[in-house]
Amino acid sequence: MRVLIVFNHPYEMSFCNAILKAVKRGLDEGNHDIDLIHLDNDNFAPVMRGKDLQAFALARTDPERSQQLLDEQVLDYKQRIERADHIVFIFPIWWELMPALTKGFIDKLIFPGIAYDYNSKGTRMFSKLDKLKGVTMITTMNTPSIAYRLLFGNAIKKALLLGTFWKIGVKNRKWINLTYVKFTSDKKRSKWLANLESSFSAIR
């Protein structure tokens, strides 16, 4: 299986980086092909500019012109998500949402003509990612799980798993949310990492 990891955390000593290493170890053990997009190291430009919105507007009526307006980096990422059997997002939750680079990746790549298209009437989306079997989100935060669920409404689940990937027709969607990380013991963190390694070695 070809697994695309989309990673976003600027600090090399972060727990997200430990998660990335555990996921990669597991995928290696399972003999999966790994493609890593490190948004921070790539200096990804997340802001939607006028030409990006022009590309969005043209995607249905003039797809060739729409593609010509996209940045080279976005076109490179496009080819990589099209080859993926599974996409894994790894990022921290800051102020209840994803960091700017992850949001920009969603805005620029989960895009008409790239990740999805519309039916002839323009009333329904469908996925263009024919190889894609599933998407997994792995997130970290310092908020307790119950507070994130009850006070903030599981914002990541609603925005990404439902509002993005369910909407475009990706059937297999999973969210692994590691909470209260700053206050968690090293022993429990190690167990989390071991579980992730085991899970991704067996991913199908």
Side-chain angles (χ1 to χ4, degrees):
M1 179 181 288
R2 185 178 184 86
V3 179
L4 174 65
I5 302 174
V6 181
F7 181 81
N8 180 192
H9 202 298
Y11 180 45
E12 290 183 2
M13 301 302 292
S14 69
F15 191 60
C16 276
N17 264 280
I19 289 170
L20 174 61
K21 292 174 183 175
V23 169
K24 289 175 69 177
R25 283 195 303 271
L27 292 172
D28 280 335
E29 290 164 9
N31 294 315
H32 299 291
D33 293 328
I34 303 169
D35 183 12
L36 172 62
I37 291 177
H38 193 310
L39 296 173
D40 302 271
N41 290 353
D42 286 355
N43 293 314
F44 175 62
V47 178
M48 291 285 283
R49 306 291 186 184
K51 69 181 183 65
D52 300 307
L53 293 173
Q54 184 183 1
F56 188 98
L58 289 171
R60 284 185 63 204
T61 57
D62 192 351
E64 185 175 342
R65 174 60 179 152
S66 175
Q67 296 283 312
Q68 291 171 354
L69 290 167
L70 298 176
D71 295 339
E72 287 185 13
Q73 188 178 46
V74 170
L75 291 172
D76 173 60
Y77 288 172
K78 170 185 179 292
Q79 294 175 358
R80 293 161 74 176
I81 67 171
E82 287 172 344
R83 294 195 297 264
D85 297 302
H86 198 99
I87 301 176
V88 180
F89 289 85
I90 303 173
F91 59 88
I93 294 177
W94 291 341
W95 293 111
E96 320 322 327
L97 294 171
M98 72 290 284
L101 294 186
T102 300
K103 181 60 167 68
F105 184 91
I106 295 296
D107 290 341
K108 290 189 171 186
L109 273 301
I110 310 304
F111 194 91
I114 297 179
Y116 69 93
D117 246 323
Y118 297 94
N119 63 9
S120 58
K121 295 181 180 179
T123 57
R124 184 179 63 83
M125 297 177 182
F126 62 89
S127 175
K128 285 179 62 70
L129 303 175
D130 297 330
K131 290 193 65 180
L132 188 64
K133 297 176 182 177
V135 172
T136 300
M137 303 278 170
I138 307 175
T139 55
T140 63
M141 65 180 184
N142 294 323
T143 304
S145 178
I146 190 168
Y148 194 67
R149 185 173 70 253
L150 296 181
L151 290 178
F152 308 116
N154 276 347
I156 288 294
K157 179 180 180 180
K158 290 181 178 178
L160 293 183
L161 269 72
L162 296 176
T164 301
F165 290 104
W166 175 81
K167 190 185 290 185
I168 70 167
V170 178
K171 294 180 179 179
N172 180 16
R173 306 174 309 276
K174 185 176 182 180
W175 179 31
I176 301 169
N177 187 27
L178 305 177
T179 66
Y180 219 48
V181 172
K182 185 177 180 180
F183 311 100
T184 298
S185 68
D186 289 342
K187 182 178 180 180
K188 187 171 183 179
R189 290 189 191 193
S190 294
K191 185 176 181 180
W192 282 343
L193 296 176
N195 288 342
L196 286 169
E197 183 176 336
S198 176
S199 294
F200 280 92
S201 69
I203 196 170
R204 295 291 181 265

